[in-house]
């Protein structure tokens, strides 16, 4: 899997694959390949989500710590 | 009187002495008693050595001398007369005053006509002086200058003083001692203009110095006329019109301190400020300074108070403003922090929601990805089954159909089988494995193979007649 892919590209590709699967507009020959790709994309997106969530929470909690620190200084 | 001869014949010649003695006799006879006479002393002619006085007595009408007689006051009489006169009039016997005197009209051979004054009525002179004073006042008022000096504004600080006085006078000394000894340390800049301060000569002396000062008046704030310490005889000069006029119309404020106990003179009336004694003048000047000083101190105090009030007011206002500012900034920062917290919370919520949504979507995709292929494979399997069914279904027909045609074909094939032809005696000749159909034309010497029902015969071409 390409490391340059971002979440949006990944989700678009994933949605395409899922749509293909849902519509059964996918051949048996490429099915396993596509499912394998979808699983990879899901894994990637999930980890991306988790890391993003953690990062955001960490940034926001840092922000409130800074506020408190500033209050103490003033 | 006839001719000269007659005259010389009847002429009786007298010696001058006989004549004067005759006149003297007549005077003694007819002017034996003294008379009260009014006259002006035009010249005093006092001889200090002998102590006698020989005043020129005149009678003027409209300023012109109409009558003039020499007077005599013997030393003993003079002493008594002067004492009495000065006591009442406060003036010395002097030129220019009118007197009423008791005198013997005398004629001596030696000195001619004279009036031997044995008494003077001072009340008459007093009246005359008062009259002169009244006249001076009336003239100044008529001319409209009586109040001129009095309405001049006294400078706030009368510091540069032109002093008309005598450096030997006690009044001047009193003034200077008091001025320079003031306890506040005020400095006065004084300049003495020496003058005679009483008697007839004072008028011109003082006037001359006033004129001098007038020329350099920019150097002074006020003029002082200071007298004192001597006797108080000869003050009538201060009632003199010429001097009084000069003072009344003087461009600088005149302060008089000519120290006497009699009535106020005209000069003192018209002067801007009149104090009896020179010391009082000094106190007045120091008072001016003191007043000014107090005004300044009071103003300074007021200024201090006012500034303090302004500063205090502003300081408390400023303090309030600072408090308000602190409160306002606290409120503001609190609000901003709350808003930021809210924003952070809402960002967190949004992120969480978004993540949640994405998670759901991913779960869904995962489910789809997990279950989808199975479904697809099942679908394909179904299709295959369908196809199989169809195949099975159609198979019978096809099989029958095909087997029938296959039978036909089999028959045909069987009919066409070369074996059957061979049975009938035909053979198949092949050149290089291929049947000799038109087009294939072997040459002489080529080897051919002929198949028969029973076997193969190998031949060699000896002749070829095919075309």
């Amino acid at each position: 899997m390409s490391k340059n892919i971002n979440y949006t590209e990944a989700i678009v590709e994933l949605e395409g694959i899922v749509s293909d699967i849902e519509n059964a507009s996918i051949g048996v020959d490429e099915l396993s390949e596509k499912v394998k790709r979808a699983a990879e994309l899901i894994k990637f997106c999930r980890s991306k989500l988790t890391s993003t969530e953690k990062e955001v929470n960490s940034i926001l909690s840092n922000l409130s710590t800074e506020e408190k620190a500033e209050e103490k200084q003033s | 009187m006839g001719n000269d001869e007659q005259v010389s014949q009847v002429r009786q010649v007298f010696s001058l002495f006989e004549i004067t003695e005759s006149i003297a006799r007549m005077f003694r006879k007819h002017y034996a008693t003294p008379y009260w006479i009014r006259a002006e002393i035009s010249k005093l002619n006092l001889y200090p050595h002998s102590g006698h006085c020989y005043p020129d007595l005149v009678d003027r009408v409209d300023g012109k001398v109409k009558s003039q007689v020499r007077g005599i006051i013997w030393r003993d009489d003079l002493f008594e007369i002067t004492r009495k006169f000065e006591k009442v009039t406060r003036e010395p016997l002097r030129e220019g005053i009118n007197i009423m005197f008791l005198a013997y009209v005398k004629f001596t051979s030696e000195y001619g006509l004279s009036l031997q004054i044995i008494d003077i009525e001072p009340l008459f002179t007093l009246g005359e002086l008062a009259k002169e004073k009244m006249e001076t006042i009336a003239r100044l008022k008529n001319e409209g200058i009586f109040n001129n000096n009095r309405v001049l504004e006294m400078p706030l600080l009368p510091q540069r003083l032109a002093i008309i006085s005598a450096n030997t006078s006690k009044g001047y000394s009193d003034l200077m001692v008091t001025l320079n000894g003031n306890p506040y340390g005020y400095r006065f800049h004084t300049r003495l203009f020496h003058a005679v301060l009483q008697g007839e000569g004072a008028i011109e002396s003082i006037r001359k110095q006033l004129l001098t000062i007038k020329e350099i008046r920019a150097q002074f704030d006020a003029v002082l006329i200071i007298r004192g310490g001597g006797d108080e005889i000869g003050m009538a000069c201060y009632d003199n019109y010429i001097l009084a006029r000069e003072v009344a119309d003087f461009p600088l404020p005149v302060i008089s301190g000519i120290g006497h106990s009699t009535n106020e003179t005209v000069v003192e009336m018209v002067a801007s400020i009149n104090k009896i004694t020179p010391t009082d003048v000094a106190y007045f000047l120091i008072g001016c300074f003191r007043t000014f000083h107090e005004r300044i101190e009071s103003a300074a105090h007021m200024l201090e108070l006012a500034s303090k009030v302004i500063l205090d007011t502003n300081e408390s206002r400023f303090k309030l403003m600072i408090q308000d500012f602190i409160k306002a900034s606290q409120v503001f920062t609190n609000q901003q922090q709350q808003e930021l917290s809210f924003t952070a919370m809402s960002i967190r919520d949004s992120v969480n929601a978004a993540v949640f949504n994405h998670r759901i979507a991913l779960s869904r995709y995962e489910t789809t990805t997990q279950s989808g292929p199975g479904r697809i494979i099942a679908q394909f399997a179904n299709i295959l089954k369908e196809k199989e069914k169809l195949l099975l279904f159609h198979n019978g027909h096809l099989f029958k159909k095909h087997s029938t045609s296959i039978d036909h074909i089999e028959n045909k094939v069987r009919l066409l089988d070369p074996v059957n032809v061979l049975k009938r005696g035909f053979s198949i000749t092949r050149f290089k494995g291929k049947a000799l159909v038109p087009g294939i034309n072997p040459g002489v010497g080529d080897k051919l193979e002929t198949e028969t029902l029973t076997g193969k015969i190998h031949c060699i071409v000896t002749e070829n007649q095919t075309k």
Side-chain angles (χ1 to χ4, degrees):
Chain A
M1 186 175 135
S2 165
K3 281 183 180 176
N4 292 329
I5 197 164
N6 61 32
Y7 185 87
T8 310
E9 288 166 352
I11 205 81
V12 167
E13 192 182 344
L14 179 60
E15 278 170 348
I17 294 171
V18 167
S19 164
D20 285 348
I21 291 172
E22 277 176 340
N23 297 330
S25 59
I26 198 164
V28 175
D29 295 328
E30 42 185 0
L31 187 59
S32 71
E33 201 59 40
K34 288 284 181 186
V35 169
K36 191 185 164 199
R37 175 68 177 163
E40 273 176 6
L41 289 169
I42 287 167
K43 197 180 161 194
F44 168 73
C45 285
R46 209 168 247 160
S47 74
K48 187 81 179 171
L49 270 183
T50 307
S51 69
T52 303
E53 192 181 29
K54 270 184 187 169
E55 206 175 339
V56 167
N57 284 337
S58 157
I59 289 166
L60 291 176
S61 72
N62 280 346
L63 198 67
S64 58
T65 349
E66 277 169 20
E67 277 172 20
K68 279 169 191 169
E70 277 172 20
E71 274 176 26
K72 276 176 189 172
Q73 276 177 4
S74 65
Chain B
M1 276 278 188
N3 56 45
D4 289 350
E5 217 171 297
Q6 277 183 314
V7 169
S8 64
Q9 280 173 354
V10 295
R11 179 179 296 166
Q12 188 182 1
V13 177
F14 300 98
S15 72
L16 182 60
F17 180 73
E18 286 168 335
I19 291 299
T20 55
E21 271 304 298
S22 162
I23 296 169
R25 274 197 301 276
M26 187 185 72
F27 268 88
R28 277 197 292 273
K29 189 180 174 185
H30 290 285
Y31 292 94
T33 54
Y35 296 89
W36 282 104
I37 305 165
R38 282 191 324 249
E40 180 195 325
I41 300 173
S42 73
K43 208 153 185 269
L44 191 59
N45 298 325
L46 173 68
Y47 291 84
H49 187 70
S50 65
H52 306 311
C53 186
Y54 306 96
D56 289 341
L57 302 165
V58 298
D59 195 0
R60 294 180 207 266
V61 176
D62 298 330
K64 283 183 178 174
V65 175
K66 291 288 184 186
S67 167
Q68 182 166 5
V69 179
R70 190 161 54 96
I72 299 170
I73 310 173
W74 300 122
R75 189 179 58 194
D76 293 347
D77 292 332
L78 183 63
F79 181 79
E80 187 56 32
I81 285 168
T82 303
R83 193 189 60 80
K84 200 170 90 181
F85 187 83
E86 290 185 351
K87 189 180 172 191
V88 175
T89 65
R90 318 301 296 175
E91 279 293 303
L93 275 182
R94 59 168 167 84
E95 293 167 10
I97 58 170
N98 289 309
I99 55 172
M100 189 170 86
F101 56 92
L102 184 64
Y104 289 104
V105 182
K106 285 211 167 175
F107 191 92
T108 62
S109 298
E110 214 174 349
Y111 300 110
L113 182 67
S114 64
L115 295 168
Q116 189 200 333
I117 298 169
I118 54 168
D119 194 8
I120 293 178
E121 175 50 79
L123 288 173
F124 173 80
T125 305
L126 195 64
E128 288 295 299
L129 290 171
K131 214 159 78 186
E132 188 191 332
K133 181 176 172 181
M134 296 307 286
E135 278 169 11
T136 300
I137 293 169
R139 275 182 81 177
L140 293 176
K141 283 187 172 167
N142 278 340
E143 289 170 27
I145 58 172
F146 188 83
N147 286 315
N148 279 10
N149 200 256
R150 304 205 308 176
V151 298
L152 285 181
E153 205 170 324
M154 182 63 67
L156 285 175
L157 281 178
Q159 189 172 35
R160 303 170 304 158
L161 308 169
I163 304 173
I164 296 176
S165 189
N167 53 5
T168 51
S169 102
K170 183 158 188 307
Y172 177 68
S173 161
D174 288 348
L175 174 81
M176 296 309 287
V177 165
T178 311
L179 278 185
N180 293 330
N182 77 80
Y184 312 107
Y186 302 142
R187 285 272 168 274
F188 294 91
H189 307 297
T190 61
R191 181 167 158 194
L192 177 65
F193 292 83
H194 187 82
V196 178
L197 292 159
Q198 57 202 89
E200 196 65 357
I203 295 168
E204 200 45 43
S205 180
I206 294 173
R207 184 169 166 269
K208 202 178 138 198
Q209 293 294 38
L210 281 173
L211 292 174
T212 307
I213 295 164
K214 200 191 260 186
E215 289 298 313
I216 51 169
R217 61 180 174 273
Q219 299 176 17
F220 298 106
D221 299 317
V223 177
L224 274 53
I225 300 175
I226 297 300
R227 194 210 69 93
D231 56 30
E232 293 178 6
I233 303 305
M235 303 293 283
C237 57
Y238 295 107
D239 289 325
N240 178 269
Y241 167 74
I242 293 167
L243 181 58
R245 188 185 199 286
E246 202 58 57
V247 171
D249 208 24
F250 204 74
L252 291 174
V254 176
I255 305 171
S256 56
I258 52 183
H260 60 92
S261 54
T262 52
N263 288 337
E264 201 176 34
T265 64
V266 181
V267 164
E268 291 168 290
M269 289 176 185
V270 298
S272 186
I273 299 290
N274 176 39
K275 299 291 172 188
I276 300 299
T277 67
T279 309
D280 287 342
V281 171
Y283 285 145
F284 167 77
L285 294 169
I286 294 165
C288 289
F289 271 60
R290 188 75 201 135
T291 305
F292 186 75
H293 192 165
E294 278 165 2
R295 270 177 70 182
I296 289 175
E297 279 183 341
S298 153
H301 187 59
M302 292 295 284
L303 197 66
E304 198 184 321
L305 284 179
S307 331
K308 200 171 176 325
V309 167
I310 291 170
L311 284 175
D312 287 353
T313 311
N314 278 295
E315 198 185 333
S316 48
R317 269 172 63 191
F318 189 61
K319 275 182 182 163
L320 284 176
M321 276 167 73
I322 288 173
Q323 282 175 0
D324 287 352
F325 181 72
I326 290 171
K327 273 183 200 163
S329 25
Q330 278 172 349
V331 167
F332 180 76
T333 47
N334 285 345
Q335 279 177 351
Q336 292 298 314
Q337 272 172 6
Q338 269 186 359
E339 274 179 34
L340 277 177
S341 302
F342 283 139
T343 310
M345 266 161 63
S346 71
I347 288 171
R348 188 155 41 219
D349 289 350
S350 303
V351 168
N352 287 345
V355 169
F356 182 71
N357 286 338
H358 279 270
R359 282 230 170 86
I360 287 176
L362 280 179
S363 298
R364 196 167 60 78
Y365 297 157
E366 196 180 31
T367 311
T368 308
T369 312
Q370 282 168 351
S371 64
R375 205 160 43 79
I376 289 169
I377 288 166
Q379 273 177 3
F380 278 103
N382 264 346
I383 290 165
L384 279 180
K385 246 179 206 166
E386 290 297 316
K387 299 262 188 221
E388 196 181 0
K389 272 182 191 170
L390 273 175
L391 205 62
L392 284 173
F393 178 71
H394 292 296
N395 202 28
H397 293 288
L398 276 174
F399 192 72
K400 273 181 191 165
K401 208 174 160 184
H402 285 287
S403 64
T404 310
S405 44
I406 287 170
D407 283 350
H408 280 291
I409 291 162
E410 198 176 15
N411 279 339
K412 276 182 188 173
V413 169
R414 196 163 50 230
L415 284 173
L416 290 169
D417 194 335
V419 175
N420 291 327
V421 177
L422 293 175
K423 274 180 181 171
R424 284 191 310 262
F426 294 98
S427 63
I428 303 163
T429 304
R430 291 184 182 95
F431 176 55
K432 293 179 181 175
K434 290 195 174 177
L436 285 177
V437 292
I440 297 173
N441 210 4
V444 175
D446 288 338
K447 288 179 179 174
L448 301 179
E449 192 186 66
T450 299
E451 188 179 356
T452 64
L453 190 66
T454 52
K456 287 172 183 179
I457 304 164
H458 295 277
C459 318
I460 294 170
V461 179
T462 58
E463 196 184 349
N464 189 351
Q465 290 172 337
T466 56
K467 297 176 187 175

